[in-house]
Amino acid sequence: MRVVFCGNPEFALPTLEALLVSRHDVVAVVTSPDQPQGRGRRLAPMPVKSFAEQRALRVLSPAKLKDKDFLESLRELRPDALVVVAFRILPREMFSLPRWGALNVHPSLLPKFRGPAPIQWTLLRGETETGVTIIRLTEEIDGGGMLAQQRTPVQPYENFGALHDRLSIMGAGMLVEVLDKLDAGEAVEPLPQDDSLATPARKLKSEDFQLDFRQPARDIINKIRALSPSPGAVAQYGYYSVKVLDAEADGEVSPMQPGQVKHNQVAIWVGTADAPLQFKTVKPPGKREMSVADYLRGRPQLPDCFY
């Protein structure tokens, strides 16, 4: 098949790599224009664009996906399918252009967690199972017919980074399998989603990053996992703040009031609605991530509570 790949972040790279070693032909890569990144907010290419340029692939970076010149460039490429991974919302003029439409790799068990942050919400909600769904895009966001779906357990130790990487590799293999079947003439009938079971996975806001120690320890740990290693869940009181990247409930510590802080030379505990929480890995402002023992060697001025 002649394939046009559409994607931006690192999550999309395994699928693009899998396509390049498959029997299918990636005739172009579509990415967003360079974006402000880092502390200096300098314009820089997205990971997919950098990878594509290193491989000497044709790259298209339209500011608007309805641009007439861009759409004409797509038509001239004569794609059999668009492959879309962590990109933008495609207009009908674009996803209806190829023979097989636009195939999307979505890291959730659709119709669960439709939206831009399905992995984070899977962890925030404490789900014990997740997966990847390959859908054919329609105008309804993440609501298209399902061409393939694969389930996998969420391991208790997995944070966002680990689950992100694992699902990206899983989705890459599934996508190539779907293309192989379509190319071989095998019937792959899209299975309609049950909209009554749909749940949202909206983009996280800055206030979602704040830890509330009035919640149960398990809910707090879920938030820490969902935001680790980046952007990091924030424990804050007044001017003091630290990002918590790993923590565990500690039932051997004496009961503590929600938000109450205790520490010794190598450990920090904070009270929650039930079991005290022990911080394991933290990231102070402007510094690298480190163990709590290393953090405490710097003698930070810890607050007495997080209220």
Side-chain angles (χ1 to χ4, degrees):
M1 280 194 182
R2 294 174 58 84
V3 174
V4 170
F5 183 85
C6 308
N8 280 325
E10 290 185 1
F11 183 83
L13 290 178
T15 301
L16 179 53
E17 291 179 296
L19 285 170
L20 291 175
V21 298
S22 73
R23 67 171 184 251
H24 306 290
D25 185 14
V26 179
V27 295
V29 171
V30 180
T31 72
S32 295
D34 295 355
Q35 303 290 313
Q37 298 181 38
R39 289 189 176 182
R41 308 304 291 165
R42 294 181 179 179
L43 290 178
M46 302 295 278
V48 165
K49 182 177 181 180
S50 296
F51 177 88
E53 289 178 340
Q54 291 170 6
R55 298 297 184 93
L57 301 173
R58 181 176 179 182
V59 175
L60 304 174
S61 296
K64 296 182 178 180
L65 298 180
K66 290 185 178 181
D67 180 82
K68 292 182 179 179
D69 291 338
F70 165 66
L71 291 173
E72 182 58 32
S73 296
L74 278 187
R75 291 188 189 94
E76 291 175 356
L77 290 168
R78 296 178 292 105
D80 296 302
L82 302 182
V83 170
V84 184
V85 188
F87 190 51
R88 294 147 67 183
I89 298 174
L90 268 59
R92 173 172 288 277
E93 295 92 330
M94 189 173 171
F95 68 69
S96 63
L97 191 152
R99 173 188 177 192
W100 295 111
L103 311 182
N104 175 238
V105 178
H106 187 82
S108 82
L109 296 174
L110 289 172
K112 210 169 194 178
F113 299 128
R114 293 178 180 174
I119 301 176
Q120 289 95 331
W121 283 101
T122 293
L123 293 168
L124 280 167
R125 297 301 186 213
E127 299 288 326
T128 58
E129 185 181 50
T130 187
V132 174
T133 309
I134 310 297
I135 63 172
R136 181 169 287 149
L137 289 182
T138 63
E139 289 175 331
E140 183 179 6
I141 297 175
D142 297 330
M146 300 182 292
L147 299 168
Q149 188 172 83
Q150 185 173 329
R151 298 173 176 269
T152 184
V154 177
Q155 301 300 332
Y157 56 82
E158 284 186 303
N159 61 15
F160 168 76
L163 191 56
H164 166 284
D165 292 351
R166 191 160 67 85
L167 294 182
S168 68
I169 294 171
M170 179 188 297
M174 292 172 61
L175 187 281
V176 172
E177 287 182 7
V178 169
L179 284 180
D180 288 345
K181 290 180 179 179
L182 292 173
D183 192 37
E186 297 182 29
V188 182
E189 291 296 328
L191 179 67
Q193 296 186 41
D194 185 346
D195 291 341
S196 68
L197 300 177
T199 57
R202 63 167 175 80
K203 183 179 180 180
L204 297 181
K205 304 174 184 178
S206 57
E207 53 264 34
D208 295 317
F209 305 159
Q210 301 293 322
L211 293 174
D212 182 355
F213 294 98
R214 295 168 297 182
Q215 296 181 330
R218 175 47 54 191
D219 292 344
I220 298 170
I221 290 172
N222 287 342
K223 175 172 282 194
I224 292 169
R225 293 169 64 204
L227 300 173
S228 180
S230 179
V234 179
Q236 186 166 9
Y237 178 74
Y239 292 106
Y240 173 87
S241 70
V242 65
K243 291 183 177 180
V244 185
L245 304 183
D246 189 22
E248 64 182 16
D250 191 343
E252 297 183 2
V253 177
S254 300
M256 300 169 62
Q257 293 297 313
Q260 180 185 359
V261 177
K262 291 182 181 179
H263 69 92
N264 56 24
Q265 293 182 336
V266 296
I268 299 173
W269 295 271
V270 180
T272 72
D274 45 28
L277 202 66
Q278 183 181 356
F279 292 176
K280 307 295 287 185
T281 306
V282 297
K283 185 179 184 301
K287 296 184 178 181
R288 61 174 178 83
E289 68 176 75
M290 61 186 70
S291 68
V292 166
D294 286 343
Y295 175 59
L296 290 171
R297 288 191 187 99
R299 299 184 179 180
Q301 295 297 313
L302 298 175
D304 295 325
C305 63
F306 291 109
Y307 290 149

